[in-house]
Amino acid sequence: DAGITQSPRHKVTETGTPVTLRCHQTENHRYMYWYRQDPGHGLRLIHYSYGVKDTDKGEVSDGYSVSRSKTEDFLLTLESATSSQTSVYFCAISADGDTQYFGPGTRLTVL
Amino acid sequence: SQKIEQNSEALNIQEGKTATLTCNYTNYSPAYLQWYRQDPGRGPVFLLLIRENEKEKRKERLKVTFDTTLKQSLFHITASQPADSATYLCALEDSSASKIIFGSGTRLSIRP
């Protein structure tokens, strides 16, 4: 998985609780992305980063925030989890903003 | 509105035949298009990138075409094998937003 890890790999939480997912890379790539994947919707971009402390919103950013304080780490926070945020979350990295390399995914269930 | 569509949700073909997957888009002018493979429970894996000035690209048994007039890319797997069974995603560059947009994928099954 191109030097990308995601943690946790599985999480079950309750509605209203905050949740943080972590993406860690060892490739020193400039770009990092968070996607969610749901049946019938494919991969949808939540937020992305183009450098340390530089982030921007994707198409489904409501209810999510991100932080990137180091090149290697990109955190996704669900401020108050809702059942609609039950999904599989993928982190991806890219050196040039073109080809992306994906992590193994985190399966999140919000009850 | 902008759309990227992979026409078949699922495709079943016999081993040894050529599998052809289609990706169509509307209201985008991508500088390039990519294809990824995704196995169950895993993240997508990059396969090929084709730029707008390239008509065709090959990698081993894989071939991709890109027709900017038809706004379509075709992805071919020749001499298909059961190990090629997976979901294949196309993705294009949305130059207006500097982002990659993914299609919802085609699930390919190769039967022995």
Side-chain angles (χ1 to χ4, degrees):
Chain A
D1 288 322
I4 312 170
T5 56
Q6 293 184 230
S7 58
R9 295 292 315 279
H10 301 271
K11 185 169 182 68
V12 180
T13 191
E14 294 190 350
T15 298
T17 59
V19 176
T20 295
L21 308 183
R22 180 182 183 235
C23 178
H24 179 79
Q25 62 149 325
T26 58
E27 306 294 325
N28 201 36
H29 283 355
R30 177 183 175 189
Y31 298 88
M32 298 186 76
Y33 308 83
W34 275 108
Y35 291 90
R36 60 179 289 174
Q37 188 173 39
D38 304 286
H41 289 280
L43 281 162
R44 291 181 292 174
L45 183 65
I46 305 171
H47 282 280
Y48 68 102
S49 169
Y50 45 95
V52 173
K53 293 189 174 23
D54 291 322
T55 65
D56 204 352
K57 295 179 180 179
E59 63 177 301
V60 289
S61 59
D62 287 348
Y64 302 95
S65 62
V66 290
S67 67
R68 191 168 178 202
S69 58
K70 298 186 289 186
T71 298
E72 57 266 34
D73 288 323
F74 193 31
L75 303 181
L76 176 71
T77 297
L78 288 64
E79 289 131 16
S80 177
T82 67
S83 58
S84 65
Q85 293 176 311
T86 291
S87 188
V88 179
Y89 290 85
F90 287 102
C91 174
I93 64 174
S94 176
D96 54 8
D98 295 350
T99 302
Q100 297 187 19
Y101 300 94
F102 285 81
T106 294
R107 184 173 294 276
L108 176 67
T109 302
V110 183
L111 302 175
Chain B
S1 64
Q2 293 177 313
K3 276 194 237 180
I4 175 170
E5 292 179 316
Q6 295 188 242
N7 289 15
S8 302
E9 191 174 309
L11 184 63
N12 297 292
I13 67 165
Q14 183 76 40
E15 181 177 7
K17 302 289 187 186
T18 296
T20 298
L21 284 62
T22 305
C23 179
N24 293 292
Y25 60 92
T26 52
N27 293 324
Y28 287 108
S29 298
Y32 59 82
L33 195 143
Q34 303 176 8
W35 285 87
Y36 290 77
R37 169 184 173 141
Q38 187 174 22
D39 291 288
R42 308 204 57 177
V45 174
F46 170 75
L47 295 174
L48 282 165
L49 181 152
I50 185 165
R51 300 196 181 273
E52 60 180 339
N53 60 348
E54 298 174 310
K55 294 291 184 195
E56 179 181 299
K57 203 153 202 185
R58 292 175 186 261
K59 179 182 173 184
E60 298 172 350
R61 294 183 296 110
L62 308 181
K63 184 178 87 171
V64 173
T65 63
F66 190 13
D67 189 325
T68 55
T69 302
L70 291 179
K71 297 188 183 299
Q72 180 181 81
S73 175
L74 299 179
F75 176 80
H76 307 273
I77 306 176
T78 58
S80 60
Q81 304 166 0
D84 295 325
S85 298
T87 295
Y88 291 86
L89 308 172
C90 71
L92 57 77
E93 176 247 11
D94 177 6
S95 55
S96 66
S98 301
K99 297 186 183 72
I100 307 291
I101 309 296
F102 284 83
S104 55
T106 295
R107 189 172 64 252
L108 177 66
S109 298
I110 310 296
R111 58 182 186 276

